[in-house]
Amino acid sequence: MLLNDLSYIPPNNEHDEPTQGDISKTSNELTQATCNEFEELYASANEKLYPGCDYVTRLDFMAKFTYFKVKGKLTDSIFNEMFEFFQNVFSISKGYKLPPSYYTINKTFKTIGLGYESIHACEHDYCLFRGDDNKYLDFCPVCNTSRWKDSNTPWKKVPKKVLRYFSIIPRLQRLYKSSHTTKEMIWHATGKCMEPGKMQHPVDGRAWKNIDTKYPDFAKEPRNVRLGLAADGFNPFGNLSQASACGR
Ligand SMILES: [Zn+2]
């Protein structure tokens, strides 16, 4: 399984919202130590879940379980309890390699470069509760609505809206951290379609060739990354009776 299959941001999980700063920011610095850590983790994540298992890798398992957690709005504590139970039933001594806790799963994702920052937002999108001015505010400075779902709750408050932010550079760097994904990153230079008139990758298209002509220095390095924007099924003119398909 490719790591980029995991690059999703979990939707709102009101019961178990990570607070701002819970998940560490990914660093742009790519040290040898982190490379090694990544390689080790990559190898361990791609191990079989148990000897002879050909259905999922450990990483698939972790991704699927995180998906269930988010979809079912399970709290950390019930999730961990479940894992503890699984650990006893499918124990390491019997060859099973289940992750021990939600913390371990999160740590794995962070090291792999799938961490993100949660930033609380005004429910009407007027401001973000970040920076020295807004970080500790309970009400939006523009529309004065509460930041929290229930302002009177004495325990951990649940924000009304959360923005997930991740910097794209570490994610792109991640794709070059493993030989498996590096090969795919430069496929456009090695796997061009040889049949005239056919397009099997954006590299065969006019937009790509246009960039090649305009920026030859950029084009001659196949490791350079080009970002494209594609969307499907959204409605640009607000007419709900007509679903549009928009490309690029
Ligand atoms: Zn507001």
Side-chain angles (χ1 to χ4, degrees):
M1 174 180 173
L2 284 178
L3 289 173
N4 52 8
D5 293 344
L6 276 166
S7 307
Y8 74 97
I9 301 297
N12 258 348
N13 178 7
E14 58 185 33
H15 294 96
D16 187 27
E17 196 56 65
T19 50
Q20 298 186 52
D22 267 0
I23 298 178
S24 64
K25 293 167 200 170
T26 36
S27 163
N28 283 0
E29 284 173 22
L30 197 58
T31 61
Q32 190 56 43
T34 54
C35 274
N36 294 342
E37 194 183 358
F38 176 85
E39 282 295 340
E40 267 172 40
L41 204 67
Y42 186 91
S44 123
N46 276 298
E47 273 178 349
K48 289 177 174 173
L49 196 59
Y50 55 86
C53 172
D54 54 7
Y55 187 59
V56 282
T57 62
R58 287 188 73 231
L59 192 61
D60 295 330
F61 181 85
M62 289 190 272
K64 198 72 185 174
F65 260 74
T66 308
Y67 165 76
F68 290 142
K69 180 186 187 301
V70 172
K71 196 177 178 193
K73 298 185 172 176
L74 299 178
T75 61
D76 284 10
S77 62
I78 194 75
F79 199 63
N80 282 333
E81 226 175 284
M82 206 168 75
F83 265 106
E84 210 176 301
F85 174 72
F86 278 160
Q87 288 280 335
N88 292 328
V89 179
F90 306 103
S91 67
I92 294 178
S93 60
K94 289 179 190 151
Y96 291 98
K97 290 170 183 170
L98 267 56
S101 64
Y102 183 50
Y103 174 77
T104 334
I105 294 180
N106 247 343
K107 197 164 170 254
T108 305
F109 286 164
K110 267 189 268 176
T111 313
I112 286 175
L114 298 173
Y116 59 87
E117 193 185 345
S118 297
I119 303 168
H120 298 174
C122 155
E123 65 172 319
H124 302 120
D125 303 324
Y126 283 118
C127 82
L128 294 174
F129 293 98
R130 70 195 294 260
D132 290 342
D133 287 348
N134 293 356
K135 200 162 42 175
Y136 300 111
L137 295 180
D138 286 325
F139 294 89
C140 168
V142 182
C143 70
N144 211 31
T145 50
S146 174
R147 171 176 178 169
W148 313 106
K149 283 190 175 167
D150 177 3
S151 310
N152 303 319
T153 315
W155 52 87
K156 191 179 168 186
K157 287 178 177 159
V158 180
K160 281 183 180 166
K161 204 172 209 179
V162 181
L163 169 88
R164 266 93 179 178
Y165 167 77
F166 59 85
S167 170
I168 196 163
I169 292 172
R171 297 207 169 212
L172 293 174
Q173 286 175 330
R174 186 192 76 217
L175 294 168
Y176 283 108
K177 282 185 196 173
S178 157
S179 53
H180 312 271
T181 41
T182 302
K183 211 168 57 190
E184 305 296 339
M185 286 297 284
I186 56 165
W187 185 89
H188 63 87
T190 56
K192 276 183 189 159
C193 180
M194 293 306 166
E195 286 178 60
K198 261 198 171 176
M199 181 174 166
Q200 61 178 27
H201 182 279
V203 72
D204 305 315
R206 256 194 268 168
W208 192 290
K209 285 170 186 154
N210 187 31
I211 298 273
D212 286 351
T213 322
K214 268 190 173 164
Y215 309 101
D217 279 352
F218 177 86
K220 72 181 176 205
E221 171 53 82
R223 288 173 300 178
N224 281 337
V225 176
R226 305 171 194 220
L227 297 178
L229 187 62
D232 193 9
F234 79 95
N235 190 319
F237 306 112
N239 181 350
L240 296 177
S241 62
Q242 261 183 350
S244 303
C246 295
R248 245 185 223 146

